[in-house]
Amino acid sequence: MLTEEVYLQDKVIFITGATGTIGGGFLSYLVQNFYEVVKEIRILSRDEYKLSKLLEEFRDYKKISPKLGDIRDLEVLKRYTRGVDVLIHSAALKRVEFGEYYPYELVKTNIEGTKNIVDICIENRVEKAILVSTDKAVEPTSTYGATKLCSEKIFISANLDERNNFETLFSVVRFGNVINSRGSIFEIVKERKAKGEPIYITDLNMTRFWITIEEASRFILKVLNIMVGGEIFIPKMQSSKVIDVVKVLYPKASIVETTPRPGEKVYEKLVSEYEQRICFEDEDYFVVYPDIINDRRPFQNTYIRNLHKVQNTQSFSSKDSLSLEGLDPFEKA
């Protein structure tokens, strides 16, 4: 199997949502570890202020090429992706509560924008494309989760598009909550601790899966090496109660339980009940291999034949196997 360094040699990489948590984290990881290897890194954001701040941070790295634009704009994407080898699609509208009030805004970005990404990848013959998704796409209860489920389906089926037929390989990575991401519980708790304010939690039993930005970045690169197109990759992540995270970060916090926000889940799942029968596992990740892909390219003919089939009794819920062990990139405030 190719190493990440060999695969990235002389590649042009395009990152959507490059000023977001995952997109920006992946950019930093590439620069720190593979900058001398890659040919060019194009970064797309629709936020000119955030893009300018990112350029200040990386002003000495001439291989980074900034692009101002929106994934809703197909014509702009066509120009920006000519000559691209690898595309990481992390752009999305992700605020769960806002999605309940403005659902079509999420549809335009998370669904129609993803369709634009697929179209330009096929047209410009991008080698590999990875969609960054979320555990909220599993049996969704929110507009955000539903639109990310649709975006996953769009990416998976793109492998079979009559214009494509696996020439561009499309796969998905599905993550839990990213530690220290903007707007996360970590940021909220630290801000409230600094002010001595109480912490509001919508359900004291709420649990979440956690992953660090570096872990997510390493996983994306791993997937680039092994993907054959059509898979949904899920790293094995730890879960914990949200209130336990609060207690680690802000031990003296006054906790106030409120009512759940629109669309919010108490527990998350990594794999749906339907997906369990088409799910395989390795030591540190799961991979869902959809029926429509298996019909065209049977898993027995890929690396998946060497993986273990998951057990029907296996739990994929964040309410099970709770642990804070090893989760100290929390950087206790």
Side-chain angles (χ1 to χ4, degrees), residues 267-304:
Y267 310 117
E268 300 286 5
K269 291 180 70 175
L270 296 179
V271 177
S272 71
E273 183 177 347
Y274 168 77
E275 290 172 330
Q276 281 190 240
R277 66 177 185 80
I278 52 175
C279 184
F280 304 81
E281 67 174 318
D282 203 350
E283 183 178 357
D284 58 353
Y285 69 92
F286 301 104
V287 56
V288 173
Y289 202 67
D291 290 321
I292 62 170
I293 301 298
N294 190 57
D295 287 345
R296 186 75 64 84
R297 183 172 284 180
F299 75 83
Q300 293 95 336
N301 298 335
T302 74
Y303 67 93
I304 297 175

Side-chain angles (χ1 to χ4, degrees), residues 122-261:
I122 293 174
E123 179 174 328
N124 288 331
R125 295 303 179 204
V126 173
E127 289 179 13
K128 295 183 179 182
I130 292 178
L131 167 71
V132 176
S133 189
T134 168
D135 53 9
K136 291 173 177 58
V138 179
E139 299 170 3
T141 59
S142 64
T143 303
Y144 171 57
T147 57
K148 292 301 286 186
L149 174 61
C150 288
S151 67
E152 288 187 1
K153 299 289 188 182
I154 289 168
F155 244 62
I156 298 305
S157 64
N159 291 281
L160 308 174
D161 191 297
E162 61 185 9
R163 300 167 298 167
N164 187 32
N165 192 27
F166 291 101
E167 288 188 32
T168 296
L169 301 181
F170 294 90
S171 292
V172 174
V173 292
R174 186 187 285 167
F175 295 136
N177 287 34
V178 180
I179 293 173
N180 289 321
S181 61
R182 284 192 290 272
S184 69
I185 185 67
F186 302 91
E187 184 180 77
I188 292 169
V189 170
K190 289 176 182 179
E191 289 176 354
R192 289 189 172 273
K193 181 183 179 182
K195 298 176 182 178
E197 296 177 342
I199 301 296
Y200 298 91
I201 295 182
T202 58
D203 192 308
L204 296 181
N205 293 312
M206 183 174 290
T207 60
R208 290 294 183 264
F209 288 104
W210 309 106
I211 190 169
T212 68
I213 296 171
E214 182 174 351
E215 287 170 339
S217 300
R218 287 203 308 265
F219 191 72
I220 290 170
L221 280 177
K222 178 173 184 172
V223 167
L224 276 173
N225 270 295
I226 65 177
M227 62 186 280
V228 296
E231 310 102 318
I232 301 171
F233 294 92
I234 308 113
K236 292 183 178 179
M237 295 170 283
Q238 291 177 246
S239 62
S240 73
K241 284 188 174 183
V242 173
I243 192 170
D244 289 339
V245 173
V246 173
K247 290 176 180 177
V248 168
L249 294 173
Y250 187 1
K252 297 180 180 180
S254 173
I255 306 296
V256 179
E257 187 174 19
T258 62
T259 56
R261 292 175 294 182

